[in-house]
């Protein structure tokens, strides 16, 4: 069965998107990406030397991957738009992850500015994936603005706390017609599996792999957990209940009359 | 509220008796919680906390790895002028010293920038003494403009400016400001900086606010450790950090913890900070301020810097000369003694060996300005 994730009309085989920051050594990135088998790689434009692109982290990213530059460092919509355009000019393609953060303590996104940047960049022909606080009204506006996906956080960036915003994400999964990708907060493979079981379309994570003792093994673990969660979602898990349900019911003796 | 007023409010707070009241169970409780409060921070500097140095270090290392990964950002300072009208008693650039004064011409700045740029370094920090007549604002913004040809990120560590002055620097391409209050205790501040423009305590204290109002992208503040009881200074610095975080949440903030090594002969350091106390201070900052960058200067020895790397450090200088023109010309008077003289190449190699990724490019001022 073909179960590709479709973003902006493009089929994506892997539902794991990972990043490239926080590693001890950039040379390990290639191995991690191979183990994770991801098709989309996110990278902060602030880490690509605009004057010397050959001498950057881009060298460690294998051919054939979709590059998803992010606007890390942007504090408002104007800065995000500017960074997105510089990313395109630097040869990073048309995909952009909008990250507008104006609180360095919690690194939570500014939905209002994110929406403004999305509107502008969609008009400019970008495939826009906005990182957002999980909130239905903004998510709907992002869909209207032409976003290619919405990317709510599960918990603040780098915290590894898991799906703290679970109820809100469930609502987005139910209500939003474009892909919902949980971005940030996923700390363990079990968190990723849980999100996928709920019907989330993909997971973007970085710290959980990069800060693990063995990033390559952890990348594999996440790949498998995300697949398991996806299969479970497609299979349709049984309903949960508080009380036990006996497999030999008490009214089994009754016959249809 | 303006920070000067906020600091005044804490004048009646008896820090010493608070520190004396801290017992082991207080430290255990602080180490077990997620959000460290305004008064938890000084508790981590108490004598009682010294017994918990190892768990503090473990906690600091975990937070750092989670927050910043295994990455150390590197920068190189470039001294362009040592003319100074101040009388800072601990500084060899003070106007009371009869030293060779130098002031790099635009051509010389280019030579220095080229030399540093050739090492692969992309982050530069421009430094001057405090002489607004010699190192005028125009001289500084011209230097910034020249440096843009060689560096992606330009910081300044110069005398405090007016808000308009910071606005001009930001417009020219400055993305980060480093400014130390030197000493937060107002009385000692005036004793150490009699006469000269630096005498204006409040103008210096509120300089970071003026720069943030002009949208500077990142900010480093600090106090010179050794001039006064480090606990009192660290407490004031922590209040300052919190004030900046609350007032300017979008600004990327770092703190710098320089233990000074004066080269001035008749100045004895009043309150030297031991290695053990320094580690206590470093880890306390990391635990209380997980998202804040921490800079360690070349005043620390290579061995010591290597040892404290995992405990919270995120930024270091490399390939440093504290003399004006020290990268391309015969050395003149240095501002302070460098204990770690590793070149950028050596620093990168040592960091990789220790399991850290040296980052010489993390920001481009072009991301924000029209150039």
């Amino acid at each position: 069965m073909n179960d590709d994730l479709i973003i902006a009309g493009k089929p994506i085989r892997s539902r794991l998107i990972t990043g490239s920051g926080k590693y001890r050594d950039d040379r390990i990135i290639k191995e991690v990406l191979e183990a994770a088998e991801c098709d989309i790689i996110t990278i902060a434009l602030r880490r690509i030397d605009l004057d010397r692109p050959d001498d950057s982290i881009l060298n460690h990213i294998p051919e054939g991957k979709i590059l998803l530059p992010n606007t890390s460092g942007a504090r408002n919509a104007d800065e995000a738009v500017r960074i997105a355009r510089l990313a395109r000019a630097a040869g990073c393609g048309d995909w952009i992850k909008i990250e507008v953060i104006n609180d360095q303590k919690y690194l939570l996104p500014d939905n209002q500015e994110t929406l403004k940047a999305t509107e502008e960049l969609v008009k400019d022909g970008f495939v826009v994936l906005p990182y957002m606080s999980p909130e239905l009204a903004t998510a709907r506006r992002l869909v209207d603005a032409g976003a290619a996906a919405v990317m709510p956080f599960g918990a603040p960036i780098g915290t590894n706390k898991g799906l703290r915003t679970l109820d809100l994400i469930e609502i987005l999964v139910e209500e939003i017609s474009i892909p919902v990708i949980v971005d940030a907060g996923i700390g363990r493979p079990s968190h990723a599996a849980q999100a996928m079981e709920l019907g989330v379309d993909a997971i973007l994570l970085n710290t959980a792999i990069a800060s693990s003792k063995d990033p390559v093994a952890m990348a594999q673990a996440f790949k498998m957990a995300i697949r398991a969660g996806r299969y479970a979602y497609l299979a349709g898990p049984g309903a949960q209940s508080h009380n036990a349900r006996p497999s030999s019911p008490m009214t089994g003796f009754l016959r249809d009359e | 509220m303006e920070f000067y007023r906020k600091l005044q409010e804490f004048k009646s707070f008896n820090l010493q008796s608070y520190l004396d009241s801290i017992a082991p169970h207080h430290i255990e409780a602080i180490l077990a919680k997620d959000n460290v409060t305004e008064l938890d921070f000084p508790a981590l500097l108490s004598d009682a906390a010294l017994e918990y140095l190892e768990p503090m270090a473990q906690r600091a290392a975990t937070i750092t790895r989670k927050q910043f990964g295994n990455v150390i950002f590197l920068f190189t300072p470039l001294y362009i002028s040592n003319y100074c009208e101040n009388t800072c008693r601990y500084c060899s650039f003070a106007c009371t010293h009869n030293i060779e004064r130098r002031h790099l011409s635009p051509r010389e700045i280019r030579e220095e920038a080229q030399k540093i740029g050739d090492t692969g370094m992309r982050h530069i920090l421009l430094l001057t003494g405090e002489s607004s007549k010699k190192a005028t604002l125009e001289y500084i913004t011209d230097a910034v403009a020249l440096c843009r040809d060689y560096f992606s990120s330009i910081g300044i560590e110069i005398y405090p400016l007016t808000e308009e002055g910071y606005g001009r620097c930001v417009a020219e391409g400055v993305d980060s400001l480093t400014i130390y209050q030197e000493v937060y205790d107002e009385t000692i501040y005036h004793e150490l900086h009699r006469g000269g423009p630096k005498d204006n305590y409040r103008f210096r204290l509120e300089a970071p606010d003026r720069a943030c109002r002009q949208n500077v992208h990142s900010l480093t503040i600090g106090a010179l450790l050794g001039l006064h009881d480090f606990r009192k200074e660290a407490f004031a610095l922590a209040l300052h950090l919190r004030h900046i975080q609350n007032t300017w949440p979008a600004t990327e903030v770092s703190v710098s913890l320089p233990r000074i090594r004066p080269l001035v002969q008749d100045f004895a350091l009043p309150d030297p900070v031991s290695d053990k106390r320094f580690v206590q201070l470093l880890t306390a900052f990391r635990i209380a301020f997980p998202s804040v960058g921490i800079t360690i200067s070349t005043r620390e020895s290579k061995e010591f810097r290597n040892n404290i790397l995992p405990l919270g450090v995120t930024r270091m200088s490399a390939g440093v000369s504290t003399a004006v023109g020290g990268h391309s010309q015969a050395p003149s008077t240095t501002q302070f003694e460098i204990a770690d003289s590793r070149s950028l190449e050596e620093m990168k190699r040592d960091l990789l060996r220790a399991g850290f990724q040296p980052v010489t490019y993390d920001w481009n001022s072009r991301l924000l300005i029209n150039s």
Side-chain angles (χ1 to χ4, degrees):
Chain A
M1 183 193 72
N2 180 1
D3 182 38
D4 284 349
L5 165 67
I6 309 289
I7 298 180
K10 201 170 168 72
I12 314 282
R13 278 174 311 140
S14 168
R15 290 172 183 271
L16 168 59
I17 304 172
T18 192
S20 48
K22 293 191 178 179
Y23 286 97
R24 284 164 189 264
D25 186 341
D26 279 349
R27 284 171 293 191
I28 199 179
I29 293 173
K30 208 170 163 206
E31 268 181 84
V32 167
L33 295 178
E34 272 164 21
E37 288 178 28
C38 42
D39 300 322
I40 306 176
I41 320 288
T42 181
I43 181 169
L45 186 73
R46 67 187 284 173
R47 295 285 298 278
I48 300 172
D49 195 333
L50 299 171
D51 303 308
R52 307 171 186 179
D54 297 341
D55 194 23
S56 75
I57 208 160
L58 289 175
N59 280 339
H60 301 288
I61 293 176
E63 295 269 313
K65 303 287 180 190
I66 297 174
L67 213 54
L68 179 61
N70 70 52
T71 64
S72 163
R75 298 164 297 184
N76 54 48
D78 290 345
E79 291 178 357
V81 168
R82 179 177 173 79
I83 293 174
R85 288 181 180 149
L86 284 165
R88 179 192 262 168
C92 295
D94 283 336
W95 288 47
I96 190 80
K97 171 184 159 186
I98 297 182
E99 202 176 300
V100 179
I101 287 173
N102 49 29
D103 190 300
Q104 296 302 323
K105 210 177 344 174
Y106 304 103
L107 298 177
L108 295 178
D110 180 326
N111 276 358
Q112 216 168 330
E113 293 292 309
T114 300
L115 176 63
K116 270 205 270 182
T118 303
E119 285 165 346
E120 191 146 341
L121 289 170
V122 168
K123 278 187 213 145
D124 209 2
F126 280 93
V127 173
V128 181
L129 290 86
Y131 169 58
M132 66 172 310
S133 287
E135 192 259 322
L136 183 59
T138 306
R140 283 186 170 138
R141 290 192 180 106
L142 287 167
V143 175
D144 292 344
V150 290
M151 306 216 287
F153 62 80
I157 295 177
T159 59
N160 288 346
K161 282 186 170 178
L163 283 180
R164 295 298 172 101
T165 58
L166 182 106
D167 290 353
L168 297 167
I169 285 181
E170 273 188 300
I171 293 171
L172 296 189
V173 169
E174 270 175 46
E175 299 297 324
I176 296 299
S177 53
I178 59 176
V180 175
I181 301 171
V182 171
D183 174 4
I186 299 290
R188 293 166 200 280
S190 54
H191 300 151
Q194 183 192 12
M196 294 305 294
E197 282 172 24
L198 293 173
V200 160
D201 295 280
I203 306 282
L204 193 158
L205 59 91
N206 185 61
T207 304
I209 294 178
S211 68
S212 136
K213 282 202 186 95
D214 185 346
V216 175
M218 192 53 97
Q220 263 164 344
F222 270 107
K223 172 186 72 185
M224 292 192 257
I226 287 167
R227 274 191 199 152
R230 180 67 185 171
Y231 289 158
Y233 169 74
L234 294 174
Q240 288 185 2
S241 97
H242 181 65
N243 298 318
R245 296 265 166 86
S247 12
S248 309
M250 302 297 286
T251 51
F253 63 92
L254 293 173
R255 299 274 181 269
D256 287 339
E257 287 171 10
Chain B
M1 190 198 296
E2 290 150 316
F3 183 60
Y4 182 74
R5 294 238 173 85
K6 166 106 189 165
L7 206 51
Q8 298 291 310
E9 282 181 0
F10 278 88
K11 268 197 162 163
S12 55
F13 175 67
N14 189 335
L15 181 66
Q16 191 55 54
S17 66
Y18 174 75
L19 290 170
D20 292 342
S21 74
I22 301 298
H25 70 269
H26 292 123
I27 304 300
E28 282 164 25
I30 295 169
L31 290 179
K33 62 183 181 178
D34 268 348
N35 288 317
V36 173
T37 66
E38 208 157 68
L39 285 180
D40 289 339
F41 172 73
L44 293 175
L45 303 178
S46 65
D47 289 349
L50 264 187
E51 299 301 315
Y52 291 83
L53 215 45
E54 182 56 29
M56 280 172 70
Q58 301 276 355
R59 177 86 195 275
T62 307
I63 294 172
T64 311
R65 205 168 52 240
K66 212 167 72 174
Q67 198 80 24
F68 296 92
N70 303 294
V71 167
I72 300 282
F73 302 103
L74 297 173
F75 67 96
T76 298
L78 166 54
Y79 284 71
I80 56 173
S81 172
N82 64 6
Y83 281 90
C84 198
E85 294 158 22
N86 284 323
T87 59
C88 314
R89 285 179 45 207
Y90 46 83
C91 179
S92 48
F93 283 178
C95 67
T96 43
H97 299 299
N98 186 19
I99 60 160
E100 185 197 351
R101 300 286 165 181
R102 304 217 18 205
H103 191 72
L104 297 185
S105 67
R107 188 181 54 82
E108 290 170 318
I109 293 174
R110 265 197 194 284
E111 276 169 17
E112 289 275 297
Q114 176 89 51
K115 205 97 188 166
I116 298 170
D118 284 348
T119 66
M121 175 55 76
R122 305 284 282 137
H123 302 157
I124 197 76
L125 179 64
L126 293 178
L127 292 97
T128 67
E130 178 155 8
S131 174
S132 54
K133 289 189 203 90
K134 267 288 186 183
T136 61
L137 182 57
E138 207 178 341
Y139 172 74
I140 291 164
T141 51
D142 285 351
V144 171
L146 286 175
C147 282
R148 275 168 54 191
D149 290 342
Y150 303 91
F151 304 104
S152 65
S153 166
I154 301 169
I156 48 172
E157 185 176 342
I158 59 170
Y159 50 89
L161 299 178
T162 61
E163 192 180 322
E164 193 220 336
Y166 286 124
R168 281 176 60 189
C169 288
V170 170
E172 202 56 63
V174 166
D175 51 68
S176 78
L177 170 72
T178 296
I179 186 159
Y180 302 153
Q181 184 58 25
E182 321 292 32
V183 57
Y184 280 93
D185 184 290
E186 199 170 350
T187 312
I188 295 174
Y189 182 92
H190 287 298
E191 277 170 20
L192 291 170
H193 308 104
R194 266 193 212 116
K198 206 174 190 169
D199 199 29
N200 192 339
Y201 174 86
R202 187 167 176 174
F203 189 66
R204 192 174 187 89
L205 188 73
E206 292 175 350
D209 289 298
R210 295 195 294 277
C212 289
R213 210 170 284 127
Q214 288 298 317
N215 231 2
V216 75
H217 197 259
S218 61
L219 172 72
T220 301
I221 59 173
L224 300 178
L225 300 173
L227 295 178
H228 182 40
D229 182 338
F230 82 98
R231 284 158 292 213
K232 291 181 181 157
E233 287 299 302
F235 181 51
L237 175 57
L239 291 174
H240 202 177
L241 264 183
R242 234 173 251 284
H243 161 80
I244 301 279
Q245 285 187 318
N246 293 338
T247 320
W248 311 104
T251 309
E252 293 181 4
V253 199
S254 296
V255 65
S256 185
L257 304 172
R259 282 196 290 185
I260 61 167
R261 303 162 62 89
L263 284 172
V264 180
Q265 284 194 343
D266 60 351
F267 183 79
L269 208 55
D271 285 283
V273 179
S274 69
D275 283 358
K276 203 171 171 185
R277 287 295 196 178
F278 184 82
V279 167
Q280 184 183 19
L281 182 65
L282 169 66
T283 54
F285 264 110
R286 173 50 69 229
I287 294 166
F289 297 94
S291 65
V292 164
I294 298 183
T295 306
I296 297 298
S297 89
T298 41
R299 293 168 176 95
E300 303 298 341
S301 71
K302 171 181 160 184
E303 290 70 28
F304 191 67
R305 290 222 284 187
N306 286 347
N307 279 320
I308 60 173
L309 267 180
L311 304 184
V313 180
T314 57
R315 279 160 42 93
M316 299 209 303
S317 46
V320 176
S321 163
T322 65
V324 176
H327 293 274
S328 60
Q329 302 171 12
S332 60
T333 305
T334 54
Q335 191 191 19
F336 58 82
E337 193 183 329
I338 298 171
D340 185 349
S341 56
R342 277 176 286 182
S343 68
L344 177 61
E345 237 4 83
E346 290 167 316
M347 183 69 81
K348 281 162 93 169
R349 191 196 57 216
D350 289 355
L351 284 172
L352 281 168
R353 207 173 279 163
F356 289 90
Q357 189 199 146
V359 174
T360 52
Y361 178 94
D362 176 57
W363 187 250
N364 196 322
S365 52
R366 271 165 58 196
L367 297 180
L368 297 183
I369 58 159
N370 296 312
S371 54

